[in-house]
Amino acid sequence: MNNIDELKSSGLKATLPRLKILEVFQRGTRRHMTAEDVYKVLLADGADVGLATVYRVLMQFEQAGLLSRNHFEAGKAVFELNEGKHHDHLVCLDCGRVEEFFDAEIEKRQKAVAVTRGFELQDHSLSLYAVCTKKNCEHRLVK
């Protein structure tokens, strides 16, 4: 399915800003991006898309199910392509790098906790905040 069809199947018109922003997520090396990150990529590509438009399109993409939103940093929304597969996140407190993971045991345990307390789990989001222990982590900021 091409980007135009993907937008149309989500109920959105295929406008140039929407196509450009979807492309940023599809071809980008970073999976988790703020609106400002997307805007910087568009500026570097010479696209004439304003920051307000980026925010508006990201909200539309989230409502249409194309993107998922997380809040890893204090007050900053971070978006990623919604590929339909559940995963959780490890977030480095030093550099902000986000690593995705899936652990079947954690998933089973969360469901069991909900059932034990009289709930039926519908959805969840798990983010673990940690500090990288690799001595020469290439993502760590130089201090």
Side-chain angles (χ1 to χ4, degrees), residues 32 70-78 80 89 91 96 98 125-127 129:
H32 305 90
N70 291 289
H71 293 276
F72 298 134
E73 301 174 38
K76 287 237 181 191
V78 179
E80 65 181 303
H89 299 94
V91 182
V98 178
S125 173
L126 176 65
S127 298
Y129 295 88

Side-chain angles (χ1 to χ4, degrees), residues 49-142:
V49 179
L51 184 57
T53 300
V54 171
Y55 275 105
R56 186 174 56 255
V57 169
L58 291 177
M59 295 304 124
Q60 292 167 347
F61 281 5
E62 181 189 11
Q63 290 172 345
L66 293 172
L67 296 180
S68 297
R69 181 188 349 191
N70 291 289
H71 293 276
F72 298 134
E73 301 174 38
K76 287 237 181 191
V78 179
F79 296 87
E80 65 181 303
L81 279 176
N82 180 358
E83 296 172 326
K85 294 185 287 184
H86 174 76
H87 59 267
D88 296 311
H89 299 94
L90 265 167
V91 182
C92 180
L93 293 169
D94 280 342
C95 69
R97 183 173 65 93
V98 178
E99 191 171 307
E100 298 173 354
F101 71 95
F102 177 82
D103 185 298
E105 287 301 313
I106 289 175
E107 298 303 314
K108 280 195 264 183
R109 186 73 187 110
Q110 290 174 119
K111 287 177 185 171
V113 167
V115 168
T116 300
R117 289 172 170 71
F119 290 89
E120 183 180 330
L121 194 60
Q122 301 297 307
D123 194 14
H124 77 280
S125 173
L126 176 65
S127 298
L128 303 174
Y129 295 88
V131 176
C132 177
T133 58
K134 298 174 190 166
K135 290 186 184 198
N136 296 318
C137 176
E138 67 272 13
H139 302 286
R140 190 172 292 131
L141 299 174
V142 179

